[in-house]
Amino acid sequence: MTESRIYTAALVIIGDEILSGRTQDKNVSQIALWLNIQGIRLKEVRVVPDVEESIVEAVNALRARNDYLFTTGGIGPTHDDITVDAIAAALGVEVVIHPEASAVLHAYYETRGGINPGRLRMARVPDGAELIPNKMSGAPGIRHGNIFIMAGVPHITAGMLDALTGTLKGGAPLLSQQIGCWVAESEVTKLLGDTEKHHEGCQIGSYPFFREGKVGANFVVRTTDAHKLAECVEALQLGLRGLGYDTVDGGI
């Protein structure tokens, strides 16, 4: 992975249950962390309902400005799992039964009550798609070009990500290091800006908190270059100590 350009991805989370608050999404963090290791930045996340036009609009908008698009949710056996249909509509292709997916599902359910029309729905894909292996529940994920259609259940998504590891083109992985400090964020705004400005290629994230009756902040430095990371972190630590604030490696 020697590419210098930044590869980006977007994520569309599909499901009324997420928007209603009945289900808390856990896929954003695991997908973002996995993408970082692949050298890809998660740039945008959108949550949409189980409505075809909403899914089509989100898919077309986000795939147009990112290298990769991931979706989670809405690929199960029930009537309201419409992700495959919506993405096929966005791509302008038909929905077909994938023969390999059908064979996988027939084999998986042979000792689990047999195949039925609902279960066979999970073999439906946008025409031209490939499969993403799923060792957890039989039903595979779907890849159509740079679109990855994945399960909503986090541990199943994790298995699909594992199957994709090392298969996507990316740049240098994003590195990060955190330091903590008992200081009000507003007291060090200029220091943060100046330090970032003088260390090209580095970004400093500031995350304030209130604990033990006092204010503090954790600062996360991010870059793709290990040497630049070390230099920026050292400069930030020196700057904070110069203002009279001790720092804690790894954060507070």
Side-chain angles (χ1 to χ4, degrees):
M1 292 188 180
T2 59
E3 296 280 349
S4 59
R5 85 169 182 87
I6 296 174
Y7 286 76
T8 68
L11 170 62
V12 179
I13 301 166
I14 300 162
D16 294 335
E17 70 279 3
I18 301 294
L19 289 167
S20 71
R22 288 194 303 271
T23 300
Q24 291 186 340
D25 179 80
K26 297 179 180 178
N27 280 319
V28 174
S29 60
Q30 74 165 344
I31 290 174
L33 291 169
W34 180 85
L35 285 168
N36 281 341
I37 295 170
Q38 312 307 308
I40 302 164
R41 312 277 182 89
L42 181 60
K43 298 293 287 186
E44 301 179 73
V45 178
R46 191 181 297 189
V47 185
V48 299
D50 295 300
V51 176
E52 182 170 309
E53 52 265 37
S54 298
I55 300 170
V56 168
E57 192 278 327
V59 166
N60 281 333
L62 298 184
R63 73 186 178 102
R65 57 179 180 253
N66 291 281
D67 296 293
Y68 304 104
L69 175 67
F70 289 75
T71 73
T72 60
I75 58 171
T78 59
H79 72 283
D80 59 345
D81 289 310
I82 63 169
T83 296
V84 168
D85 302 83
I87 292 179
L91 294 171
V93 300
E94 297 296 319
V95 174
V96 299
I97 296 291
H98 195 292
E100 184 182 342
S102 177
V104 167
L105 289 165
H106 274 85
Y108 182 82
Y109 285 110
E110 185 176 1
T111 58
R112 296 173 173 86
I115 201 74
N116 60 39
R119 290 169 171 174
L120 191 59
R121 277 180 57 84
M122 294 185 288
R124 299 166 74 252
V125 303
D127 194 14
E130 305 169 42
L131 302 182
I132 303 171
N134 171 16
K135 298 177 182 178
M136 301 294 179
S137 66
I142 303 162
R143 175 178 185 172
H144 198 292
N146 283 356
I147 299 176
F148 301 85
I149 308 168
M150 311 181 80
V153 180
H155 76 272
I156 298 177
T157 304
M160 292 179 179
L161 292 173
D162 186 59
L164 289 171
T165 296
T167 66
L168 307 188
K169 188 174 184 179
L174 188 64
L175 308 174
S176 66
Q177 187 172 334
Q178 177 173 261
I179 60 174
C181 188
W182 291 106
V183 61
E185 184 183 42
S186 59
E187 296 292 323
V188 294
T189 301
K190 185 177 186 304
L191 172 65
L192 297 176
D194 289 346
T195 305
E196 186 176 89
K197 181 180 178 181
H198 289 102
H199 292 81
E200 187 177 356
C202 295
Q203 299 87 42
I204 302 175
S206 179
Y207 305 97
F209 57 79
F210 182 81
R211 271 181 233 153
E212 301 174 22
K214 53 185 177 178
V215 295
N218 286 312
F219 306 111
V220 179
V221 180
R222 299 181 178 91
T223 181
T224 58
D225 185 294
H227 182 66
K228 288 182 178 180
L229 178 66
E231 285 188 337
C232 188
V233 169
E234 182 180 13
L236 181 57
Q237 289 175 318
L238 288 173
L240 288 166
R241 289 168 187 161
L243 293 173
Y245 302 109
D246 292 328
T247 61
V248 178
D249 289 339
I252 296 171

